[in-house]
Amino acid sequence: MSRRSASCIGSVRPLLREAPNKVVCNIVGGVISPLLANIFLHYVLDEWFEKDVRPRLKGEAFLIRYADDFVIGAARADDAQRIMAVLPKRMSKYGLTVHPEKTRLVRFQPPQAQSSDTEGREPPEPTTFDFLGFTHYWGRSLRGAWVVKRKTARSRLKRALAALSEWCRKNLHLPIKEQHQKLTEKLRGHFGYYGIIGNYFSLLEFREEVRWIWRRWLSRRHRDGEVTWAEFARLEQRYSLPRARVVHGLRSSVAKS
């Protein structure tokens, strides 16, 4: 795929579709719902893209989909615009609609390519996009080349921290040991998904924020008021939270990736 590319990022949501002599069962949030969506979109989107769309494009293109979220990459901007124009029509044919806020065209290319297109003007900020909880952006490799990198999306990070803070609030009465056990599970689950190469600093930020949140809520039940950092450090000697850890990649690491 050429570096000079445009991407179409989208999400599909169901509409209640009326059809003569047919009963349409719309399951949202059920256990079987992702499975049905996968089967349905395989025909509506995946096969359509491979058989009808790609052969008509002037340049290279690809489709990546997980459940009802997907990214379409095109080497040429005019191809991306053509796909963007026909995509809503394809979805509406089957009682679906593309999400108006999540579906957009993104000019995703390394900064040096963007600079060459500005013709003397000040180059714009490199474009990013979010997909499956990660922000995709251009960065330098260890050898200095431009590569696509991924980090935890800010919206997902804030959501996870808010949920964790709410859990601490509701379970403030639990013994420290039980709180520590549950927080450990939550951290390991977070690292299990977001622990990819290049995302170490986001993992570290999440762990440090969890420490702040836990100490703050423990202070609410402390008889002398705030739990000082010195007191919290002594507590951590016995109830230490898991360290930030990259678990997906060539090898696992607790060191900076």
Side-chain angles (χ1 to χ4, degrees), residues 11 14 40 72 113 119 158 184 219:
S11 179
F40 193 55
I72 298 175
E119 299 180 354
K158 291 180 180 179
T184 295
S219 296

Side-chain angles (χ1 to χ4, degrees), residues 1 4-5 10 17 37 81-82 85-86 122 125 131 137 145 147 150 238 255 257:
M1 178 61 62
R4 299 172 59 80
S5 61
R17 185 175 177 226
Q81 291 168 354
R82 291 174 61 193
V86 74
E122 184 176 349
E125 288 293 321
F131 183 57
Y137 66 101
V147 294
R150 295 172 292 168
R238 184 173 181 180
S257 63

Side-chain angles (χ1 to χ4, degrees), residues 171-189:
N171 295 276
L172 193 59
H173 61 284
L174 293 179
I176 299 295
K177 182 178 180 180
E178 292 185 25
Q179 291 188 41
H180 171 259
Q181 181 180 359
K182 192 64 178 181
L183 292 175
T184 295
E185 293 174 1
K186 291 180 178 295
L187 276 166
R188 286 176 177 168

Side-chain angles (χ1 to χ4, degrees), residues 172-173 176 179 214-232 234-235:
L172 193 59
H173 61 284
I176 299 295
Q179 291 188 41
W214 195 23
R215 185 186 73 90
R216 186 183 68 202
W217 283 109
L218 288 178
S219 296
R220 297 290 184 93
R221 76 178 205 176
H222 196 257
R223 61 184 179 182
D224 297 326
E226 182 181 14
V227 174
T228 66
W229 279 109
E231 293 172 325
F232 190 71
R234 289 194 294 270
L235 182 144

Side-chain angles (χ1 to χ4, degrees), residues 161-202:
L161 291 172
L164 192 140
S165 180
E166 181 65 12
W167 184 91
C168 288
R169 184 187 70 82
K170 291 182 177 180
N171 295 276
L172 193 59
H173 61 284
L174 293 179
I176 299 295
K177 182 178 180 180
E178 292 185 25
Q179 291 188 41
H180 171 259
Q181 181 180 359
K182 192 64 178 181
L183 292 175
T184 295
E185 293 174 1
K186 291 180 178 295
L187 276 166
R188 286 176 177 168
H190 185 88
F191 298 155
Y193 183 79
Y194 292 102
I196 63 173
I197 291 178
N199 196 35
Y200 175 78
F201 289 110
S202 292

Side-chain angles (χ1 to χ4, degrees), residues 108-109 111 126-129 134-140 146-152 198-199 202:
F108 191 66
Q109 56 189 28
T127 305
T128 66
F129 67 90
F134 291 94
T135 295
H136 295 66
Y137 66 101
W138 288 99
R140 294 284 191 180
W146 286 108
V147 294
V148 177
K149 294 188 174 184
R150 295 172 292 168
K151 61 183 179 181
T152 308
N199 196 35
S202 292

